[in-house]
């Protein structure tokens, strides 16, 4: 969550006396400052709540970063799309205000006759009590003293309010790399293309984020030259129907890619032996 929003995520690695990692402690991004010494070696300065500064070696900092200009820290991803999200928020705020108020902005009453205080008060009470809120948006209204109703602004339908909201959903998905069907935007989704979209989502969105996390785990938590490795299992995202999965497993077993026990373990079953 931190790296997706702010571009950088930090955690201090606690090690045992033998140097093995035993715990990770989250460090706030705003209090962390990566620096280089005179020889160009990287180190981290972390300021705690008492404003005391602790110097941490790179091997003791679990650092996941997003796209970066200098190779050390990532820029804030949400700032890149700030205008897009501000525009989306403005549209949502307008829609909430429009439907909550009920009495449409940009609509006026006009008359050639002056209204006294009682008539003004009665008109305001009628608007608030009978026509305020979404439930009374289309209720009838009695006009007196020569009052005429006039609309001076286009309705949301005319100004393509709904189409604008749908377009902004797709714009946000485009920026984040998340396919629309993942957030229940199914206007252009079919059973045939969702599977292909899931494959693209895994290859183009998840793997670029999973790879640096895997590399950081392998480098600082497992170590080089060991028997263990770190890898996210993302195959389930792009798997098809039950029949497709069964056929793929049968081919893996036939060609010796996986044995039956490995396939059973992958599917959550115990080994036969």
């Amino acid at each position: 969550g931190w790296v997706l929003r702010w571009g950088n995520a930090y955690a201090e690695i606690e090690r045992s006396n033998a140097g093995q990692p035993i715990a990770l402690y989250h460090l706030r991004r705003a209090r962390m400052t990566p620096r280089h010494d005179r020889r160009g070696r990287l180190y981290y300065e972390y300021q705690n709540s008492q404003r005391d500064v602790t110097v941490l070696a790179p091997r003791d900092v679990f650092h996941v970063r997003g796209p970066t200009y200098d190779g050390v820290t990532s820029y804030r991803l949400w700032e890149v799309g700030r205008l897009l999200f501000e525009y989306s928020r403005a549209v949502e705020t307008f829609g909430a205000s429009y439907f909550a108020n009920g009495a449409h902005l940009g609509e006026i009453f006009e008359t050639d006759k002056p209204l006294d205080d009682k008539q003004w008060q009665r008109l305001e009470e009628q608007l608030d009590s009978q026509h305020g809120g979404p439930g009374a948006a289309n209720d009838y209204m009695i006009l007196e003293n020569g009052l005429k109703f006039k609309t001076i602004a286009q309705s949301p339908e005319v100004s393509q309010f709904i189409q604008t909201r749908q377009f902004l959903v797709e714009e946000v998905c485009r920026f984040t790399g998340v396919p629309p069907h993942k957030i229940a935007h199914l206007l252009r989704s079919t059973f045939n293309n969702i599977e292909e979209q899931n494959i693209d989502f895994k290859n183009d969105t998840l793997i670029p984020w999973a790879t640096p996390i895997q590399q950081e785990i392998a480098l600082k938590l497992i170590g080089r030259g060991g028997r263990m490795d770190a890898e996210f299992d993302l195959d389930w995202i792009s798997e098809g129907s039950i029949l497709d999965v069964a056929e793929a497993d049968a081919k893996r077993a036939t060609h010796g890619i996986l044995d039956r026990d490995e396939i059973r373990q992958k599917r959550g079953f115990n080994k036969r032996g």
Side-chain angles (χ1 to χ4, degrees):
W2 280 78
V3 70
L4 287 176
R5 182 175 182 182
W6 301 106
N8 295 277
Y10 301 96
E12 182 180 4
I13 304 172
E14 180 184 356
R15 300 184 183 274
S16 64
N17 294 333
Q20 297 297 322
I22 57 176
L24 292 174
Y25 297 98
H26 174 251
L27 300 176
R28 291 185 175 273
R29 173 201 56 83
R31 298 180 181 177
M32 179 68 77
T33 305
R35 299 187 183 278
H36 290 88
D37 60 16
R38 294 181 179 179
R39 297 183 179 180
R41 294 176 297 188
L42 177 67
Y43 68 94
Y44 294 86
E45 288 185 354
Y46 186 73
Q47 187 180 74
N48 59 24
S49 57
Q50 287 76 33
R51 299 186 177 237
D52 296 328
V53 177
T54 302
V55 177
L56 300 172
R59 68 183 298 269
D60 295 326
V61 177
F62 189 86
H63 181 192
V64 180
R65 61 181 65 83
T68 174
Y69 293 127
D70 57 9
V72 179
T73 57
S74 172
Y75 48 83
R76 299 179 184 179
L77 301 179
W78 295 110
E79 286 188 351
V80 178
R82 183 180 62 182
L83 293 179
L84 168 62
F85 293 110
E86 288 180 351
Y87 183 45
S88 301
R89 184 176 181 180
V91 171
E92 292 297 322
T93 302
F94 166 76
S97 176
Y98 180 89
F99 291 108
N101 290 330
H104 303 168
L105 296 176
E107 298 167 341
I108 63 174
F109 297 94
E110 63 179 10
T111 179
D112 296 332
K113 302 178 181 179
L115 301 178
D116 58 30
D117 294 340
K118 291 184 179 181
Q119 290 172 329
W120 273 110
Q121 183 179 358
R122 189 162 57 249
L123 178 62
E124 291 178 353
E125 290 176 353
Q126 184 179 8
L127 286 173
D128 292 338
S129 61
Q130 299 181 17
H131 304 279
N138 297 315
D139 201 359
Y140 67 89
M141 185 176 184
I142 299 176
L143 298 178
E144 57 181 319
N145 203 37
L147 282 171
K148 297 180 181 179
F149 179 79
K150 183 178 181 181
T151 301
I152 62 174
Q154 292 180 331
S155 65
E157 291 77 13
V158 175
S159 59
Q160 296 184 336
F161 175 69
I162 295 177
Q163 289 84 347
T164 299
R165 294 183 72 242
Q166 294 173 350
F167 172 74
L168 288 175
V169 169
E170 297 173 1
E171 283 290 286
V172 173
C173 288
R174 186 177 293 112
F175 176 81
T176 58
V178 176
H181 75 272
K182 288 294 185 183
I183 58 172
H185 187 74
L186 303 175
L187 293 180
R188 298 178 179 85
S189 297
T190 65
F191 289 108
N192 294 327
N193 64 20
I194 282 183
E195 183 176 353
E196 296 298 326
Q197 291 183 53
N198 284 335
I199 296 175
D200 292 338
F201 177 58
K202 182 184 80 169
N203 295 336
D204 299 335
T205 303
L206 295 184
I207 289 181
W209 284 109
T211 299
I213 299 177
Q214 294 172 173
Q215 293 173 342
E216 193 77 354
I217 294 173
L219 178 63
K220 298 181 180 179
L221 302 183
I222 297 178
R224 300 175 179 175
R227 297 180 178 179
M228 299 177 62
D229 195 9
E231 183 179 357
F232 288 100
D233 185 4
L234 302 176
D235 291 341
W236 60 272
I237 297 176
S238 56
E239 287 182 345
S241 64
I242 296 177
L243 294 177
D244 293 334
V245 172
E247 183 179 356
D249 287 342
K251 290 182 178 180
R252 293 188 182 101
T254 301
H255 296 287
I257 299 174
L258 295 174
D259 60 34
R260 293 185 177 182
D261 283 338
E262 290 173 329
I263 294 176
R264 290 178 62 86
Q265 184 178 9
K266 187 176 182 64
R267 299 304 165 200
F269 298 103
N270 294 329
K271 295 182 179 180
R272 288 189 170 184

